[in-house]
Amino acid sequence: MSETVNAAESAAPHRYTAALAADIEARWQDFWDKHGTYEAPNPGEGSLGGDPETAAKPKKFIMDMFPYPSGAGLHVGHPLGYIATDVYGRFQRMTGHNVLHTLGFDAFGLPAEQYAVQTGTHPRVSTEANMGQMRSQLRRLGLGHDQRRSFATIDTSYYRWTQWIFLQIFNSWYDDEAGRARPIDELVAEFESGRRPTPEGRADWSDLDGTERADLLGGYRLAYASDAPVNWCPGLGTVLANEEVTAEGRSERGNFPVFKSRLRQWNMRITAYAERLLTDLDPLDWPEAIKLQQRNWIGRSEGARVDFPVETTGTGGDGAGGQTAITVFTTRQDTLFGATYMVLAPEHELVAGEGGIVPAAWPEGTREAWTGGHATPAEAVTAYRAQAAAKSDVERQADAKDKTGVFTGAHAVNPVSGERVPVFIADYVLMGYGTGAIMAVPAHDHRDFAFARAFELPMRCVVEPSDGRGTEPAAWDDAFSSYDARIVNSAGSRVVLDGLGVVEAKARITAWLEEQGIGAGTVNYRLRDWLFSRQRYWGEPFPIVYDDEGVAHPLPESMLPLELPEVDDYSPRTFDPDDADTSPETPLSRNGDWVHVTLDLGRGDGPRTYRRETNTMPNWAGSCWYELRYLDPYNDERLVDPSVERYWMGPRDGMPTGGVDLYVGGAEHAVLHLLYARFWSKVLFDLGHVSSAEPFHKLFNQGMIQAYVYRDSRGIAVPAAEVEERDGAYFLGGEQVSRTLGKMGKSLKNAVTPDEICAEYGADTLRLYEMAMGPLDVSRPWDTRAVVGQYRLLQRLWRNVVDEATGEVAATVTDDAPDEATLRALHKAIDGVRQDLNGLRFNTAIAKITELNNHVTKQPTVPRAVAEGLVLLIAPLAPHVAEELWRKLGHETSVVYADFPVADPAYVVDETVTCVVQIKGKIKARLEVSPSITDAELEEAALADPAVAAALAGGTIRKVIVRAPKLVNVVTG
RNA sequence: GCCGGGUUGGUGGAAUGGCAUACACGGAGGUCUCAAACACCUCUGCCCGAAAGGGCUUGUGGGUUCGAAUCCCACACCCGGCACCA
């Protein structure tokens, strides 16, 4: 160290430098830990109970979407939301609220497991190490978290309750009449007593054996195993939920192809809640964009089911078939007269084998193009089904433009026109939506139009186009699907729709179908049940065992938690990503001792042998209910104490459904985590375990911190920190590189860590910078050069209060009353900052604090009241330096619970305001006037102004608009 | 293709019907210093002009209004979501 630096330091040994900031920050972080400053008491006498007044205190429950403990560590983008919730929480503490804010870890799931596989360590070991690293990085930021309430989803004391909730869901069914979930025992009782008959085609309850009963109940349970086409991803070795598959038909994680494969898997009956998940969105204080995404995902559409009679072929091979019907779902029942053919999904059961509708031979005169070149319909159908099954979703979508399909040889009857229409199978009809069958109206649906063109099927116009194209579909380029038109060509012997508008025609035909008993108005949802099992090691084991008959039994509560066993090889079995003809193998199944057990399930049949379920739950399970466990993390008796839950989550004024007061996280969880968590919330609500039907009342999506990516001539990212700017171009060494905006991360060599910013400027500066960059919900680029601006703010604030030579309060800090202008500046800042912090507008709050501080800096002395005001205003944003200054100013207690200042309305308005005088909207003069000036006085003053008078000379005044005290606009003629 | 969000100085942004460019970064000049750094002060949207001053300006074009970054219509571009959903 050189002498000159020593000299500078000795001149100002108490200057606010990075070293001093580090010292202050470490000291106050230790202080907060030691005093439990951020511990939020629960009402009542539970493990975290507070004093008796707690229950009466207003509360704020603030949450962040908790992180995965990834091995890469944090970059400056990660804590953006955490800092924002911390600032908001601190502001709420200073305005008298009991604030619950903590942060846990979402530690199960693919990322943690893949990282563990890559590094060759057990997932628990690497996960714990990562959590340790992230905890220390986060602690450095001074986040006001109640550490007692932090947990990880992999803690057995936590996933015990995840398993418990699974059992609750497994042991419930959705009562459509009551519109809510009920215990499955109540359904069994209804069957036993005969109050509820078993569904059609089933024997009486008393005649069913155990397997049949289990099978019947499985059709009701909210968690059930079923054989269904699922998203099988050989590259990952696991099945995936629809929400985890991209639009390209690949896995969101790893980007591997995904195939439809029929496998027995666990599902959650989220579709039972489709309507409630939709309607309950309305009162939530969420970004409209997210609500819209959920609405689209649920995809409610109103329409009708219609039966088309069709001959079956019979099973005996004697040709003696029967009558059945193809039921279709349509939103355009008004176009029923235009249905000239039908299409079934390739997977549809009526073409699956014997007893279906496929005849032995092609009907007389079947066109060559319809048969696919096959000798019999059965061959054609089998071949097409095989072809469709072998296609990955990627291929299926890539082929979407070219319609393919094959004739089944069968005909159905259009119930309104009586016309015989051919039945096709084609992969443009999806088994998972509606009934997996459609009536095709080529004139009024563009997909049917394309298919009809390709297969030369007839088209009939039944809605008269309003765009003057005529009523001959053969001459059209595409279908006419607008609702703004009249029905034509729709007069049958039994029902007539001609002349009606689309909406009236729908109502008329729906009523007629219901009368005839061949259809009904119905609501259909795009939402599918949630595929809930994964062939992975690193997840919650299912608390389910199978008996020798293969019937699933829930473990009794006393056997929870069912701990994840240690295995030698926890990596999943993966396959050639393109090989659809593979099936999953669960890591847990390799552990025979764990799988095969003898248990007494308390069913009165004593100890018996069982086989454990070897699938694990998806990583979403742990995040579906964590808000509840923050409330009561040490409760061994219950998920959460009801009175504690009611206090923090219960419905109240302005929040009819209840929930977390503020939940901040990225928009990427719009339909995954947020939909699943809402679903679990509703089940727990229905079963009486919680008082809030919604988990999160207010949701806020923070933007992403982006970073510049520099690439060399080969397009390879180069280390951003080493790039230099010269005359608007960028260079690495001698070579020019290009600059684009992208994500921040190690792979693009542009990560900036909070650690390095803290080391250079301190955590308070980092916090201020992240909050000052722009509105919280907007993405913006990181600029390390600009961080110094917030550092300077803190340095000026420090110097306004502290003597840099002595470290004591500066002599310029006086007990004198502030002058008028300073008082007004202070109260305007207080007023503005309060509103901004309440509205999460941290960037403008900082601008207002900066303005006040700049004003104070220019004054020769700093009145103590103003110094304290500044410290209190900045305390939520820069808590360490605020604590230090608060202490220096003579306060014995922490600033964390000091009262946030309240503005005096008398000083919020300026003494004089600037009035602009415009002539025809152009500014000609500015007047300093009293804020209480009347319109008449202001008009007079404006017209008397020399510049205005000069500009008006010669013209005639047509009108004068006066908006006292800010504006006069003279309109001349 | 459909739905949603956006486009303001050299840069991040402020202003949501009434002074466009607050606050900050960067830049220029200055004070302090032997010098530098720090700090502090002044200037900094664009164009014309020596200056005084004038003109122009919120993606583009139109409209509503005394007055538009802000409201409406059309277009362009960027970002996000969904996508054969009957």
Side-chain angles (χ1 to χ4, degrees), chain A residues 16 19-29 764 798 880-881 884:
Chain A
Y16 187 81
L20 181 60
D23 171 56
I24 291 171
E25 287 164 9
R27 262 193 292 115
W28 284 103
Q29 283 161 12
D764 282 331
W798 181 264
H880 311 89
V881 71
E884 187 75 6

Side-chain angles (χ1 to χ4, degrees), chain A residues 556-595:
Chain A
E557 240 177 80
S558 60
M559 290 186 188
L560 300 185
L562 171 59
E563 292 199 30
L564 193 57
E566 294 303 317
V567 295
D568 294 335
D569 179 12
Y570 49 77
S571 41
R573 172 135 186 238
T574 56
F575 302 88
D576 176 351
D578 295 307
D579 188 358
D581 198 21
T582 48
S583 53
E585 178 188 302
T586 59
L588 291 184
S589 66
R590 295 176 208 141
N591 190 336
D593 291 350
W594 183 78
V595 174

Side-chain angles (χ1 to χ4, degrees), chain A residues 13-302:
Chain A
H14 297 276
R15 171 163 294 180
Y16 187 81
T17 59
L20 181 60
D23 171 56
I24 291 171
E25 287 164 9
R27 262 193 292 115
W28 284 103
Q29 283 161 12
D30 291 344
F31 175 93
W32 296 328
D33 280 353
K34 191 175 149 205
H35 292 85
T37 304
Y38 304 109
E39 294 179 359
N42 279 346
E45 292 169 356
S47 58
L48 302 178
D51 52 46
E53 292 89 72
T54 302
K57 210 175 169 191
K59 63 87 189 181
K60 288 281 177 191
F61 182 12
I62 298 165
M63 271 178 63
D64 304 279
M65 290 185 188
F66 62 173
Y68 291 110
S70 118
L74 299 180
H75 60 64
V76 290
H78 292 113
L80 178 69
Y82 306 153
I83 295 170
T85 47
D86 185 54
V87 173
Y88 184 74
R90 287 173 182 278
F91 173 62
Q92 295 300 335
R93 279 189 198 99
M94 293 176 77
T95 52
H97 294 87
N98 185 16
V99 172
L100 198 170
H101 190 200
T102 187
L103 189 71
F105 290 94
D106 190 14
F108 273 132
L110 297 187
E113 179 173 300
Q114 281 171 337
Y115 178 78
V117 169
Q118 280 160 20
T119 56
T121 47
H122 191 284
R124 184 176 304 280
V125 173
S126 57
T127 302
E128 296 283 358
N130 295 344
M131 288 193 291
Q133 196 211 337
M134 283 175 75
R135 279 209 172 90
S136 72
Q137 278 187 300
L138 291 170
R139 185 174 187 277
R140 183 71 185 83
L141 301 176
L143 302 173
H145 292 164
D146 184 345
Q147 292 300 342
R148 304 169 307 167
R149 296 175 186 265
S150 176
F151 53 77
T153 52
I154 57 172
D155 299 344
T156 49
S157 59
Y158 180 79
Y159 75 69
R160 167 200 171 154
W161 294 102
T162 308
Q163 292 172 329
W164 181 87
I165 295 172
F166 175 84
L167 291 178
Q168 295 293 311
I169 298 173
F170 177 78
N171 285 319
S172 334
W173 62 294
Y174 200 81
D175 182 344
D176 281 319
E177 268 168 54
R180 63 181 180 85
R182 293 171 58 193
I184 197 84
D185 293 344
E186 295 179 14
L187 179 67
V188 172
E190 287 189 18
F191 283 135
E192 279 174 351
S193 69
R195 254 184 299 146
R196 178 183 291 264
T198 54
E200 226 174 307
R202 295 264 193 180
D204 284 351
W205 179 260
S206 55
D207 296 333
L208 297 175
D209 67 22
T211 310
E212 290 166 334
R213 286 180 179 179
D215 187 43
L216 172 62
L217 291 178
Y220 287 86
R221 292 183 189 275
L222 288 180
Y224 63 96
S226 76
D227 275 302
V230 295
N231 304 303
W232 163 235
C233 180
L236 287 174
T238 186
V239 297
L240 298 168
N242 292 328
E243 290 82 355
E244 294 169 310
V245 179
T246 65
E248 288 79 40
R250 304 180 79 95
S251 61
E252 193 163 57
R253 198 160 284 284
N255 201 32
F256 294 113
V258 171
F259 299 89
K260 279 276 177 278
S261 183
R262 215 177 175 86
L263 294 166
R264 187 159 185 85
Q265 296 293 331
W266 284 93
N267 289 278
M268 293 258 170
R269 207 177 299 279
I270 190 172
T271 50
Y273 282 86
E275 191 63 38
R276 283 169 63 189
L277 287 168
L278 193 65
T279 54
D280 286 358
L281 274 175
D282 294 339
L284 296 182
D285 185 2
W286 283 24
E288 274 310 313
I290 301 292
K291 287 191 184 185
L292 201 68
Q293 276 186 56
Q294 290 219 346
R295 288 192 188 108
N296 290 342
W297 191 262
I298 295 166
R300 183 184 198 274
S301 29
E302 287 183 14

Side-chain angles (χ1 to χ4, degrees), chain A residues 338-655:
Chain A
T340 53
Y341 67 101
M342 301 189 77
V343 186
L344 306 183
E347 303 86 3
H348 200 284
E349 58 173 4
L350 286 176
V351 291
E354 305 218 319
I357 59 169
V358 181
W362 293 116
E364 201 79 13
T366 297
R367 264 177 263 168
E368 188 68 30
W370 289 10
T371 65
H374 293 279
T376 65
E379 268 178 39
V381 165
T382 305
Y384 188 78
R385 281 163 56 90
Q387 181 196 323
K391 266 192 197 178
S392 71
D393 286 3
V394 195
E395 292 164 318
R396 195 160 166 159
Q397 279 180 29
D399 298 342
K401 300 159 290 294
D402 305 316
K403 294 282 179 287
T404 63
V406 71
F407 182 40
T408 63
H411 284 84
V413 178
N414 182 321
V416 289
S417 67
E419 192 177 7
R420 263 167 57 88
V421 296
V423 180
F424 284 73
I425 58 172
D427 65 2
Y428 83 94
V429 173
L430 310 174
M431 194 58 224
Y433 185 76
T435 60
I438 63 159
M439 64 177 209
V441 184
H444 305 295
D445 179 285
H446 81 270
R447 295 151 302 185
D448 297 344
F449 186 93
F451 189 84
R453 271 280 155 88
F455 286 82
E456 295 179 4
L457 285 153
M459 305 190 199
R460 182 181 306 128
C461 173
V462 294
V463 183
E464 184 169 32
S466 45
D467 55 10
R469 61 165 86 174
T471 56
E472 191 39 70
W476 299 351
D477 295 329
D478 197 1
F480 176 79
S481 52
S482 168
Y483 274 44
D484 178 25
R486 307 237 146 245
I487 304 295
V488 294
N489 295 330
S490 296
S493 54
R494 301 195 292 166
V495 60
V496 177
L497 301 177
D498 283 350
L500 296 176
V502 167
V503 175
E504 300 99 286
K506 280 190 189 192
R508 174 79 59 88
I509 192 72
T510 304
W512 183 82
L513 290 166
E514 285 173 4
E515 249 167 59
Q516 302 295 312
I518 54 170
T522 181
V523 174
N524 195 58
Y525 300 91
R526 203 190 77 121
L527 183 70
R528 320 275 170 86
D529 278 344
W530 172 20
L531 190 136
F532 195 71
S533 41
R534 299 291 183 278
Q535 292 72 48
R536 285 281 168 163
Y537 172 71
W538 196 230
E540 299 88 346
F542 281 77
I544 291 284
V545 290
Y546 298 92
D547 64 22
D548 295 342
E549 276 82 50
V551 174
H553 297 278
L555 291 181
E557 240 177 80
S558 60
M559 290 186 188
L560 300 185
L562 171 59
E563 292 199 30
L564 193 57
E566 294 303 317
V567 295
D568 294 335
D569 179 12
Y570 49 77
S571 41
R573 172 135 186 238
T574 56
F575 302 88
D576 176 351
D578 295 307
D579 188 358
D581 198 21
T582 48
S583 53
E585 178 188 302
T586 59
L588 291 184
S589 66
R590 295 176 208 141
N591 190 336
D593 291 350
W594 183 78
V595 174
H596 299 285
V597 285
T598 303
L599 300 170
D600 182 349
L601 297 183
R603 293 155 40 84
D605 53 0
R608 293 180 57 168
T609 56
Y610 295 97
R611 178 174 51 85
R612 289 194 195 277
E613 170 63 62
T614 61
N615 281 296
T616 53
M617 299 187 199
N619 56 326
W620 309 108
S623 58
C624 269
W625 70 281
Y626 71 120
E627 74 282 0
L628 297 170
R629 199 59 182 173
Y630 281 156
L631 305 179
D632 202 6
Y634 301 106
N635 197 330
D636 287 333
E637 307 296 317
R638 316 187 62 139
L639 182 77
V640 53
D641 181 89
S643 66
V644 169
E645 189 273 339
R646 254 195 322 279
Y647 173 73
W648 292 109
M649 293 284 285
R652 59 195 178 281
D653 288 348
M655 238 199 218

